[in-house]
Amino acid sequence: MIVFPVLRGLPKIDRVPATYIFFVVNIFVFLLASADYNSSQKRMDAYLDSDGFLQTQGKVFSSFARHHEQQFPPLVVGLADRALQGDSDTQKLMGSLALRSPAFASGVSSFHPDGDDVEVQNWRKDYKEILSIQMSHPSYQMGLSRGHEGPINWITYQFAHSGIKHLFWNMLFLLLFGLFLESLVGTGWLVLLYLSSGVVGAFVFDMMSGFSASPLVGASAAISGLVGGVLAICWGHKVRFFYWLLPSRGYFGIVWLPAWVLLIVYVLPDLTGILSSVPDLNSVAYYAHVGGTLWGVVFGILIRRRVLIASPVDSVAKRYI
Amino acid sequence: MSMVLDDIYSAPKPKQDISDPKRSMPVSRHASAVDIQGVDLYHDLATPQDRLAAISADLVIFLPLVMLCLAPIRRISLENQILGIDQDWIRLLAVGIIFIAAAAYQTFSLLLWGATPGKLFIGLRVRSIWNGEKPTAMQSFVRALLHSLQLLLLAVPWISLFSNPRRRVLHDRASDTIVVVHSKRKGAGPPHPYEISMASGMQFAVLSSLLIFTVFQFRGSMTDVASGEGGGRTTESQIIRELESTHVLCRVVGEAHRDWLGNGETKSATRVEAALALFAAGIIESDCLEKEADYVLWRKNEKREAYLAKALANQDNVELIESYQKKICTDENSSACQVLRSEVIFLEEPDSISATVKRESSGVDQYEKSAREMFDFAMRAGEAEYVRVFTIRNLFAIHDLKRVLLLLQKSSPHYLLGSYYSSIRAKAYYLVHQDANSMQNLRSSLDGLTIDQRQETAAWFCYAQTFRGCDSSAKLACDMHLQFVNTRADSVAQDAKSVIAAVRAGQCWEDEWQKSNQTLLPLVSQELLQVLKSSSGPGSNGNLREVLESESTVENFALRAEALRQILAQGSDINEQIQEFETGSFEWVELARLQMQKYENDRKMELAWNLGKQIASVDPYNMPVLKRMVVLGHRLGHINDAHQFVKELATQIDDSRLDFARPTGRRLPASLAESQEESLGSSARAMDVAADAEFFEAIKGLKP
């Protein structure tokens, strides 16, 4: 079963230039970076796929976590114990977690683990190599991570994506909500909402869980801001949705539902994500999503009166959506 | 509630005889019938598709809500899963929450709107059968409760949507409700008899298989409970047992180590030392050894032995071994350093061509030097057991059998190692021509060997014994080998010696081996096959020489030895080619002995005498050769040398340190006749009676 808001037709570019521009820029950036991205990723995967590297890194990280217990949540310390007992799966897991830990990245060079010195020495060579690959990796250059958090990165991270699937879903939702909202509030407000949601989302993420050593990328926070904006502005008004219940005629089609359905279908899963995922282990930045959404709601409430007076929601919705 | 029971039996009952299509239609579907307040039973019933779609629509709303409720539990469960903590209660809690949430969702939406949001969306309503109104609170609750309960049965009872005459599922019947279409939506009539019979059949089938599955699951969990051990993880040994049961550490190492701890001599041995000993004996593989080492190294217990284990587990990586060597040999006199040094030398097979070339060019036998040093080291009191296993293995590799046997006397035959020692002892005794002792040790070792070791041992004995002939003790070994050829042909085919043994055995005992070899030979490499085929027909000498000259067989000694044996059997001398083998190796001694016999047959007595001297110098326990040398010395007039050989024969039988002699045979020549049967075993029996007669003739002639 699927439900999502759907457009009746595509508004022309002169009505909604910002959404189309964001759409094109995202795709353009992705294509431009893809060659670099692929080559860096390939070089990195060569290390990460070799069992030895990841396992040793896991053991070193585990030893590190044991020595700096106060800096790590009990779960990571528990994992460290398991890894040090020799469980190879846990070692690999800790090996990938090590790449995210800013404390590890900054402290490992002066840290001497209690373990196999020869193995550790060989690992250090590979680790240095990984760090140098990261320097030229587009996701690290454009994304937000510890060490890469200059003012430019707060904007560029919104336009970088980690894969074609990531890009596809974000662009789909950008079109769904961006076109609708831009035709409702106008280009200026949309650009402001989009970019500020990205910044606020990243800020909330940094506040709640802190930037990790692996980069935060993607337009998700900005797009969550758009969802928040739609929610705040259209709350009780009916919006055109597409639904699909069964693969049979009569069980899919268009339906008009109040905009708050979006809250259940798109915002609750992010909250669930925050509550259900284990911090330090999950790879989706739910806090950035929720932060973006909340900012979108606030933003929407602030401009609501202005927008409603300028163009009544129902008429706009009926014209474009 | 009477309707629950009445429903099945009361009208409109479809006719039971469904064989006649005309008669099977219960009532015209277009007729109108009302037996429930306000419901047209032929037009108003909700269709199964509609009800399914309504559930799907409900899920759009229900799933995000219930997932939000489950989120904290999901997080705990994830954490536990990662930490490997048992979490049955969490699953139970999650099922409970889903159950309660589903029931609450149903109850409240029925009470408020007379339908769930999904049903409202599709256009369905739930009605009481008594008055056609919204269900009461009680009805809503009962309906919701049973609705959710059926989820636990994987919703199988919902199949009755197709079999109940009013399409009322269990929860409808229990709560006296019925699901109807609202306003203009097209409804359904009662199910067709075909539909009913198919649905009932399916329901029965699914429910009964579910029942059977549950019973088996329950039985399984009961046996788990029975065999499981209670109690928390507190002590180190409990943690270790837990790690063994999850294959993080190797169980066999743990068993060996616990066995060692119970014995006086090895009381202080560590787990890594046990692992090293088992690795040297070929009982565990390198990955197992590495795990044991890591367990020690990464838990603050820095130990030289653990580094040694790491080095040995990474034998393919020369650089890594060097790094480990630096780490280990900070104390030059430590056992670990000694073992690693010797192992680095023995990384290259001592019999290999490159090793032979190196030895000849440098004039120093690295292997011998290293193995002898290790021998002195291992003979010290209180030395770790693993040092002895490595030393024994290397001494055996350079054919220093006397030291092998001496060191074996000093070793502690604990757990698994005892059988390994016995098998090595059996091989060593065999090579010094003590066949009776050899067989005795072989028999006592077999039960305790791992399957791989047993396979290797059987192949080794079959190979060695068939080199000498097809006698009865060879048959014993080869019968054992035959079992492995039958059951593990793939792995047997990988080893040239095993295959050669199988083919030779096939020539000795054709009937038993024919079938097995037919399955084995197609798995064997081409070069090997060529030699083996050449041996079957005469006049293929050319092929055999080609095999010897081929680059690909350079390091395959067993194969080359077999080729030479064939060439010799076809009547050509092989004295020159024999020299490529490491002097003193099994193949060299056996081929030289065969060549010596041929020289004698060809009446080239001086050549035979010279070759015999060479054999006697490297294989001083070779009784058959020594006896021939006495005869030859007598005939050729080398009287002093012949006397020397008689003396050697005497000391050899006298050699009490190696336990060679049997109580009866102490002195030559008077008691030789009695003792030879026992002490020389099968090879003596295999000797020609005429040769023995010659020998005694010579002994008499040599008397001063």
Side-chain angles (χ1 to χ4, degrees), chain B residues 259-302:
Chain B
D259 184 69
W260 284 26
L261 290 181
N263 281 294
E265 284 170 66
T266 47
K267 214 170 203 155
S268 59
T270 62
R271 214 183 138 98
V272 173
E273 286 177 347
L276 280 167
L278 295 181
F279 177 72
I283 296 168
I284 59 170
E285 300 285 327
S286 59
D287 56 338
C288 184
L289 183 66
E290 189 157 17
K291 283 184 201 165
E292 297 290 338
D294 274 340
Y295 181 77
V296 173
L297 284 172
W298 288 90
R299 287 164 61 84
K300 288 191 180 179
N301 305 316
E302 188 181 323

Side-chain angles (χ1 to χ4, degrees), chain B residues 502-514:
Chain B
V503 172
R504 281 201 213 124
Q507 287 158 0
C508 289
W509 307 282
E510 214 171 296
D511 300 342
E512 294 155 51
W513 281 79
Q514 198 175 19

Side-chain angles (χ1 to χ4, degrees), chain A residues 1 59 78-79 82 85-86 114-120 122 245-246 251 255 264 272 275-277 279 281, chain B residues 49-50 53 56 60 63-64 67-68 71 75 82-83 121 243 248 294-295 297-298 307 310 320 323-324 327:
Chain A
M1 56 297 164
K59 286 184 264 186
L79 279 176
R82 254 168 87 81
Q85 281 170 356
D114 345 283
D116 181 341
D117 294 346
V118 174
E119 194 182 329
V120 171
N122 288 335
L245 299 175
L246 292 181
Y251 296 105
V255 63
I264 295 176
T272 307
L275 292 175
S276 69
S277 62
L281 291 191
Chain B
Q49 305 94 288
D50 272 0
S56 178
V60 172
L63 265 189
M67 288 307 280
L68 188 65
R75 175 172 163 172
I82 290 166
L83 292 175
F121 181 76
L243 292 174
V248 172
D294 274 340
Y295 181 77
L297 284 172
W298 288 90
Y307 276 119
K310 285 286 280 194
L320 211 56
S323 313
Y324 280 117
K327 193 86 200 156

Side-chain angles (χ1 to χ4, degrees), chain B residues 62 95-105 148:
Chain B
F62 179 71
V95 171
I97 287 180
I98 294 175
F99 179 82
I100 292 169
Y105 177 83
S148 307

Side-chain angles (χ1 to χ4, degrees), chain B residues 405 408-409 413 418-430 432 434-449 457 461 480 658-660 662:
Chain B
L405 289 167
L408 277 170
Q409 282 181 346
S419 301
Y420 172 71
Y421 286 150
S422 294
S423 74
I424 289 278
R425 196 180 279 125
K427 287 176 188 173
Y429 272 132
Y430 183 78
V432 297
Q434 295 280 305
D435 291 18
N437 276 345
S438 169
M439 287 316 278
Q440 194 185 336
N441 275 291
L442 182 61
R443 255 179 239 123
S444 71
S445 76
L446 284 177
D447 284 341
L449 293 178
T457 308
F461 273 97
M480 205 159 61
L658 295 181
D659 191 26
F660 282 171
R662 315 305 289 172

Side-chain angles (χ1 to χ4, degrees), chain B residues 600-657:
Chain B
E600 274 194 71
N601 293 342
D602 296 349
R603 296 286 156 211
K604 298 172 181 168
M605 292 306 179
E606 275 297 332
L607 287 175
W609 170 255
N610 288 336
L611 192 54
K613 268 172 105 172
Q614 236 181 316
I615 300 173
S617 70
V618 294
D619 189 11
Y621 307 108
N622 198 330
M623 287 223 184
V625 169
L626 291 183
K627 285 166 92 180
R628 279 321 292 169
M629 290 306 281
V630 173
V631 175
L632 281 174
H634 180 232
R635 284 190 187 163
L636 293 168
H638 302 301
I639 302 299
N640 286 342
D641 286 330
H643 271 291
Q644 195 58 38
F645 284 121
V646 173
K647 258 186 211 159
E648 271 184 35
L649 271 171
T651 51
Q652 186 202 114
I653 290 182
D654 226 8
D655 202 336
S656 57
R657 273 206 305 167

